[in-house]
Amino acid sequence: MPPNTTATTGDKPGKSGRKKGRKARLLVLVLVLALIGGVAYGAYWSISTVRASFPQTSGTITLKGLSGPVEVKRDGYGIPQIYANSDEDLFMAQGFVQAQDRFYEMDVRRHLTSGRLSEMFGKGQIDNDAFLRTLGWDRVAEQEYKTKLSASTKKYLDAYAAGVNAYLDGRSGKDISLEYAALGFVNDYKPEKWTPVDSVSWLKAMAWDLRGNMQDEIDRALMTSRLGPQQIAQLYPQYPYDRNRTIVQEGAYDEQTGEYDQDADGTSSGSGSSLGGTGTGTGTSTGGTGTGTGTGGATGASSSSTSSSSTSSSTDADATALQGQLTGLYKVLDDLPEAVGVNGNGIGSNSWVVGGKHTITGKPLLANDPHLTASLPSVWYQMGLHCRTITAKCQFDVSGYTFAGLPGVVIGHNKNIAWGMTNSGVDVTDLYLEKITGDGYLYDGKVVPFKTREETIKVAGGASKKIVVRETRDGMPLLSDRSDELVQVGKKATVANGAPDRGDGYGIALRWTALDPGTSMDAVFAMDKAADWNDFRAAAELFDVPSQNLIYADTQNHIGYQLPGKIPTRVKGTDGSVPVPGWNSRYRWTGFLDFDKLPREYDPKRGYIVTANQAVVDPDAYPYTLTTDWGYGTRSQRITDLIEQKIKGGGKISTEDMRQMQLDNSSEIAKLLVPVLLKIDIDDPEVRKAQKLLEGWDYTQDADSAAAAYFNSVWRNILKLAFGNKLPKELRVEGQCLWVDPVSSTGPVDDTTKVRECGQREADQAQPDGGDRWFEVVRRLMDDKKSDWWTTPRSGTRPAAGNRDELFARAMIDARWELTAKLGKDIDTWSWGRLHRLFLKNQTLGTEGPGIVKYVLNRGPWKLGGGEAAVNASGWNAAGGYGVVWVPSMRMVVNLGNLDKSKWINLSGASGHAYNAHYTDQTDRWAAGELLPWSFSPQAVDDSTGDTLTLQP
């Protein structure tokens, strides 16, 4: 055993009947390895090698640094509940236990956030490392730890790191994880000690995942090569405030007090101390039009807040100049490892809370299911952190979801309150064009020197590489330094009158709130200890990055919502929707919104609050621009409708009702399109057979539904024909080639000028992705049956289309034969789940390793129901195919009337060890929509405990 840990009794997990099943799987693994890799290779990958890293979960281990005994109680799914007598012991034990289960995942994450993946995986990660070094997440995290975080937070982080290091002490790589054994064949990498900064850095990665509208800025600019301002505006319609409700519905911004207040019955929404900055700025209404001009001219396409008849204040030449630059930036962003997420595209989440007057318990119920890229192991880690007695020395009694590598609980409940999160989507990133001159950049007519630093990237099995990172004002990294393509395009870019001469080309710099040191780690611990609404708001005020929709419920029968975050203000006339000139100080952020200016609700009269990435507040009630790129409210309105159906029917909502709502598969776009599709005359009898599947369909997308399979294929083909084939190559799927008119992408192709263009974007990132923005685009075009969007040329035997119904008919034909190729000619064998499958992949060796390693580490497929913009949001990208791209990464329902009757589930399992019993033991139940019991009280935890490990000083 390692020198700092001594086992005195106990055994490894698996004394139940699962042991035989696991041993059989391990023997199969060994046989496969022996057959494929040879006898010597197979012998190395023996059962003992596979099991060497499994955690000890019972008995006693001596852990130096503890002040008293700590118990780790695991239930039948390996989920740990930790009991201690001091905060430091609690978090030291958390670090030890998470390292037992997930250290490889933790190690990869810290190498990701610090731009050191090349140290583990070799030269193929140099470009990723260079980009991440340029962002400098670990540098910002270190500044946070040294200058921003409270003394108590540092103490907890230090204790957590000590627990991780106690686990690592004396263990070789293969004793820690199977992946290290695999790496040992090509690399002599050895894990190093954990630091508190390693924990803080992961919050930066999650902030990047949830960074707002940066991708929309890029896409709008790229569209200008083929589309005009009015066409682009049609593809980014205004939020449908008249149809889909905002999160906050009661109250308005009070100009006299400078705060957001509710006006219902004089109800105060709580105070909470004002710990943040007071920012001034004037920002424009969300319903504003376009961007300002200013000296040098704003650049890019039309703002997403414009109507379809509006035009951008920027010139087409400005937008065209950005196209090549932003294409290069997109490629860098898109190449980041999937461990970070889906790079801000398509991410959603559901969370809602129902007050006691509408529930069967008379107390609130709170549900949450964040939508993230599917990964193995899941990004979430379930656990409970309990002080045996709450005292000044030991203050925590909390349970829920956190990240491996992070102390505390991020989402969950304590004995008094529960909370959930969804991405708010507020705009906290801006791209700036920079005029580079020598060793500096132009700013208000003067050349200002870059702030530079040299970084050395160490490479496993190769020579190190040095890079120079350049930053402009406000610590903005020059991202264009990381792409040769950007340099070349910058030399050739065409610019508008009034802009500085291009010289050697323009650069692109990023302003992002997460690159400023903050206090989000303080917020995690403050939320874990919060006892009421005021405590909760005080914790939310510390949650500066990423900005999340926070919902709240407590055992005293109160519910609430708070928008937190460090949200910038901009000069009047700019709204953050397009890149702006960096050479003009007019476009610099003017400040940040004070916390008390941010929207909130407390005990609204309607008795419930729904957040699902929709608009936070109506612009008529709020003077500041939060973003121009909300989600369009499809999921949130469906959840609202389900709640109101129950309430108006005189019923009370139960935990089971909340679970059923989470599983709602209804397709809102099908409700709009199917009645029209059924009226279209189809000549081909085989296509008519498929069309008839839609007759009587209830619009639910169950895994076994043939109608869902056919409709989603029709929807995919409508999008492709109407929009996808008319987008520039930079947005289309890589390798999909078209003959297009280089002058205009709408209308018939001129055979004398057409050229062949191939898409350039990864399949799961291409457009049109089929999300609810596209629902809204199609909805607004439905009555304009002769819109140019509804035209498509003939292709082979497929007919041309000159209006809406002809294009719909063509889509039904294409869908029939696409599914025939994929699922067979017999429509009786079709099902949505056969198309819509989930594969869980280890995010390093499971995606890039040898085939046999992928076989060992990866799992799947699972046939899923649900779909894009459904409440049961198993997302897929309509441009790229039908496979599941992102999922409800966990689901929970908290019962504030009896916390032990709360329910939860994770995407995978507690363990990160392949072939451990808890590697994917929750996935089948997750896929079936089931929830597991969630014990909280000491008695309930004891009743569910299968293994107990005692950690002693």
Side-chain angles (χ1 to χ4, degrees):
M1 294 297 292
N4 279 2
T5 59
T6 304
T8 56
T9 60
D11 195 4
K12 297 289 178 77
K15 292 184 177 181
S16 68
R18 293 193 303 266
K19 183 174 182 179
K20 293 181 179 179
R22 184 170 67 246
K23 186 173 181 179
R25 293 194 299 272
L26 293 171
L27 289 172
V28 170
L29 166 64
V30 173
L31 289 172
V32 170
L33 288 168
L35 289 171
I36 295 178
V39 176
Y41 188 74
Y44 181 84
W45 288 85
S46 62
I47 291 177
S48 61
T49 301
V50 173
R51 296 195 60 180
S53 57
F54 287 8
Q56 180 180 335
T57 59
S58 60
T60 301
I61 293 177
T62 299
L63 203 62
K64 291 182 179 179
L66 290 177
S67 64
V70 176
E71 290 177 301
V72 182
K73 301 180 179 182
R74 293 181 184 257
D75 66 10
Y77 288 88
I79 300 170
Q81 305 281 343
I82 301 176
Y83 290 84
N85 293 325
S86 75
D87 293 337
E88 292 93 328
D89 284 357
L90 193 64
F91 293 116
M92 185 177 183
Q94 184 182 15
F96 183 86
V97 169
Q98 286 194 335
Q100 280 187 305
D101 284 336
R102 301 273 195 98
F103 182 77
Y104 176 78
E105 175 193 3
M106 294 162 58
D107 199 16
V108 170
R109 284 180 175 179
R110 67 166 164 180
H111 280 78
L112 171 72
T113 58
S114 59
R116 296 169 53 209
L117 289 167
S118 299
E119 294 179 19
M120 296 184 75
F121 306 112
K123 63 182 181 180
Q125 294 297 326
I126 290 176
D127 288 343
N128 285 328
D129 283 346
F131 183 77
L132 292 162
R133 295 284 184 98
T134 301
L135 286 173
W137 291 345
D138 61 328
R139 295 171 61 85
V140 179
E142 187 172 8
Q143 293 177 54
E144 288 185 1
Y145 179 76
K146 289 180 177 179
T147 66
K148 288 290 187 178
L149 299 180
S150 67
S152 61
T153 292
K154 291 181 181 179
K155 180 174 63 176
Y156 303 152
L157 287 165
D158 291 345
Y160 180 90
V164 175
N165 293 329
Y167 170 76
L168 294 178
D169 194 10
R171 284 182 166 89
S172 66
K174 67 181 180 65
D175 293 328
I176 297 172
S177 179
L178 182 64
E179 288 91 334
Y180 290 120
L183 281 177
F185 286 108
V186 295
N187 191 350
D188 60 355
Y189 171 81
K190 293 179 177 60
E192 59 192 36
K193 288 187 176 181
W194 192 263
T195 73
V197 173
D198 293 333
S199 294
V200 179
S201 292
W202 186 244
L203 290 176
K204 300 300 176 186
M206 294 309 297
W208 179 259
D209 211 16
L210 306 168
R211 65 191 176 274
N213 76 333
M214 183 173 167
Q215 195 60 58
D216 289 312
E217 286 189 49
I218 294 171
D219 286 358
R220 274 191 290 267
L222 291 174
M223 287 178 183
T224 60
S225 67
R226 300 203 65 80
L227 305 175
Q230 181 175 341
Q231 292 169 313
I232 295 173
Q234 287 178 316
L235 301 187
Y236 286 89
Q238 285 184 316
Y239 184 88
Y241 292 99
D242 59 338
R243 188 175 68 255
N244 294 343
R245 297 183 201 172
T246 59
I247 296 172
V248 174
Q249 299 173 34
E250 298 178 13
Y253 181 78
D254 189 323
E255 293 286 356
Q256 292 183 334
T257 66
E259 296 184 11
Y260 192 94
D261 286 323
Q262 288 180 243
D263 57 10
D265 303 324
T267 303
S268 169
S269 54
S271 55
S273 60
S274 180
L275 302 178
T278 58
T280 53
T282 55
T284 59
S285 162
T286 303
T289 57
T291 60
T293 54
T295 304
T299 56
S302 59
S303 166
S304 66
S305 62
T306 60
S307 68
S308 60
S309 62
S310 301
T311 60
S312 170
S313 60
S314 307
T315 66
D316 289 342
D318 288 324
T320 302
L322 287 178
Q323 179 188 351
Q325 293 168 304
L326 294 174
T327 299
L329 175 58
Y330 183 90
K331 288 180 178 178
V332 176
L333 301 183
D334 190 48
D335 195 40
L336 285 180
E338 290 183 357
V340 186
V342 290
N343 299 322
N345 295 331
I347 294 175
S349 296
N350 302 320
S351 190
W352 67 95
V353 59
V354 181
K357 68 179 180 180
H358 297 312
T359 70
I360 62 173
T361 66
K363 292 291 179 70
L365 294 170
L366 185 151
N368 198 185
D369 55 283
H371 308 155
L372 296 169
T373 300
S375 62
L376 183 61
S378 168
V379 68
W380 297 108
Y381 185 94
Q382 299 155 284
M383 72 186 321
L385 302 170
H386 309 280
C387 291
R388 294 187 179 96
T389 303
I390 301 295
T391 64
K393 182 181 177 182
C394 200
Q395 306 172 68
F396 293 86
D397 187 17
V398 62
S399 184
Y401 297 83
T402 188
F403 306 123
L406 195 77
V409 166
V410 176
I411 294 174
H413 70 82
N414 59 33
K415 67 177 182 179
N416 297 305
I417 75 164
W419 66 96
M421 298 184 189
T422 62
N423 191 23
S424 70
V426 299
D427 188 358
V428 295
T429 60
D430 278 345
L431 296 174
Y432 286 81
L433 280 179
E434 303 291 351
K435 163 59 180 173
I436 300 173
T437 302
D439 294 329
Y441 58 95
L442 188 67
Y443 189 61
D444 283 350
K446 297 180 180 179
V447 177
V448 181
F450 288 107
K451 180 180 179 180
T452 64
R453 67 178 187 272
E454 186 176 85
E455 299 270 357
T456 300
I457 300 172
K458 296 179 180 179
V459 181
S464 298
K465 179 177 180 179
K466 293 184 182 296
I467 64 169
V468 175
V469 176
R470 299 193 287 180
E471 294 180 354
T472 68
R473 67 213 162 273
D474 300 321
M476 297 196 302
L478 197 67
L479 298 186
S480 51
D481 279 349
R482 302 283 74 88
S483 169
D484 292 338
E485 181 184 20
L486 293 183
V487 173
Q488 294 303 315
V489 174
K491 291 179 180 179
K492 303 174 182 178
T494 302
V495 295
N497 293 332
D501 181 74
R502 68 185 179 185
D504 291 332
Y506 292 113
I508 297 176
L510 171 68
R511 183 76 167 102
W512 178 32
T513 55
L515 298 183
D516 299 335
T519 56
S520 293
M521 198 69 239
D522 284 339
V524 171
F525 296 117
M527 209 163 289
D528 287 353
K529 294 186 292 185
D532 56 27
W533 174 243
N534 286 342
D535 285 352
F536 182 76
R537 287 201 68 232
E541 189 166 5
L542 299 169
F543 207 101
D544 44 20
V545 175
S547 177
Q548 297 286 283
N549 295 313
L550 298 177
I551 62 165
Y552 166 92
D554 64 37
T555 56
Q556 300 304 306
N557 219 357
H558 299 292
I559 64 174
Y561 164 84
Q562 176 68 59
L563 176 69
K566 190 175 184 180
I567 300 173
T569 55
R570 301 171 176 88
V571 71
K572 187 174 183 179
T574 61
D575 59 12
S577 64
V578 293
V580 294
W583 48 81
N584 187 340
S585 62
R586 182 177 185 273
Y587 295 95
R588 193 175 186 177
W589 288 353
T590 58
F592 300 94
L593 289 174
D594 183 76
F595 182 72
D596 283 329
K597 296 179 186 289
L598 300 179
R600 59 186 181 269
E601 268 191 341
Y602 185 67
D603 287 341
K605 287 187 286 187
R606 65 186 179 278
Y608 62 87
I609 301 170
V610 176
T611 85
N613 316 114
Q614 78 270 40
V616 169
V617 62
D618 193 299
D620 290 338
Y622 196 68
Y624 298 102
T625 297
L626 298 173
T627 187
T628 59
D629 292 299
W630 302 111
Y632 282 79
T634 301
R635 282 178 288 108
S636 61
Q637 191 58 44
R638 175 61 177 170
I639 295 166
T640 297
D641 291 345
L642 292 171
I643 292 171
E644 292 192 341
Q645 286 172 17
K646 189 77 173 181
I647 292 172
K648 291 178 180 178
K652 296 287 187 178
I653 294 174
S654 66
T655 300
E656 175 62 14
D657 291 328
M658 300 284 273
R659 184 188 74 85
Q660 291 288 351
M661 291 178 193
Q662 288 179 324
L663 303 180
D664 184 81
N665 283 331
S666 176
S667 171
E668 297 305 297
I669 190 62
K671 295 175 184 177
L672 175 70
L673 294 183
V674 166
V676 177
L677 295 174
L678 288 173
K679 293 178 181 178
I680 295 174
D681 290 331
I682 298 293
D683 293 332
D684 189 322
E686 293 299 323
V687 179
R688 283 204 306 273
K689 288 180 183 178
Q691 184 186 31
K692 286 182 176 295
L693 289 172
L694 304 179
E695 295 178 357
W697 180 42
D698 62 0
Y699 311 120
T700 59
Q701 301 171 92
D702 296 331
D704 60 359
S705 170
Y710 182 60
F711 172 78
N712 282 320
S713 183
V714 173
W715 170 237
R716 165 174 149 82
N717 280 280
I718 287 173
L719 292 171
K720 179 180 178 181
L721 296 169
F723 309 105
N725 291 350
K726 297 162 189 171
L727 295 177
K729 60 182 181 296
E730 294 85 3
L731 275 69
R732 300 202 311 269
V733 175
E734 183 177 10
Q736 288 187 1
C737 303
L738 299 170
W739 289 98
V740 300
D741 186 329
V743 178
S744 173
S745 65
T746 59
V749 174
D750 182 346
D751 290 338
T752 65
T753 61
K754 65 183 180 180
V755 297
R756 185 170 173 82
E757 283 187 353
C758 297
Q760 298 178 353
R761 192 167 282 187
E762 293 290 332
D764 61 356
Q765 301 289 322
Q767 292 292 342
D769 61 17
D772 65 353
R773 172 164 68 87
W774 294 100
F775 289 15
E776 193 64 21
V777 169
V778 170
R779 182 185 299 275
R780 296 190 183 206
L781 290 170
M782 285 295 286
D783 292 336
D784 186 2
K785 297 181 181 180
K786 295 185 178 181
S787 167
D788 285 342
W789 292 112
W790 300 131
T791 64
T792 192
R794 180 182 179 87
S795 176
T797 60
R798 305 286 203 271
N803 59 48
R804 185 198 71 183
D805 289 355
E806 288 177 357
L807 186 138
F808 283 8
R810 164 74 179 273
M812 285 195 285
I813 295 168
D814 288 357
R816 177 24 159 151
W817 300 115
E818 180 187 12
L819 293 197
T820 297
K822 291 180 180 296
L823 302 179
K825 186 175 181 179
D826 185 358
I827 63 175
D828 291 336
T829 67
W830 290 2
S831 71
W832 177 223
R834 287 181 62 196
L835 288 173
H836 193 53
R837 299 187 300 168
L838 170 66
F839 291 85
L840 291 181
K841 297 180 180 179
N842 177 287
Q843 291 303 296
T844 56
L845 302 182
T847 57
E848 299 296 333
I852 185 60
V853 175
K854 293 180 182 179
Y855 176 85
V856 170
L857 298 176
N858 297 342
R859 300 291 184 271
W862 284 268
K863 298 177 181 179
L864 298 186
E868 193 77 13
V871 179
N872 185 16
S874 55
W876 56 288
N877 186 299
Y882 303 98
V884 177
V885 176
W886 45 270
V887 295
S889 54
M890 62 81 158
R891 297 187 184 100
M892 74 176 195
V893 179
V894 182
N895 184 331
L896 277 299
N898 184 341
L899 292 169
D900 287 330
K901 291 187 178 180
S902 301
K903 304 284 186 179
W904 62 353
I905 195 83
N906 205 355
L907 172 62
S908 59
S911 180
H913 300 287
Y915 295 97
N916 183 279
H918 306 304
Y919 191 48
T920 56
D921 60 336
Q922 296 186 51
T923 309
D924 285 346
R925 292 180 178 274
W926 172 91
E930 299 177 21
L931 297 175
L932 303 176
W934 183 355
S935 301
F936 180 72
S937 69
Q939 184 60 55
V941 169
D942 284 345
D943 290 344
S944 63
T945 295
D947 289 315
T948 300
L949 173 68
T950 299
L951 304 176
Q952 65 181 16

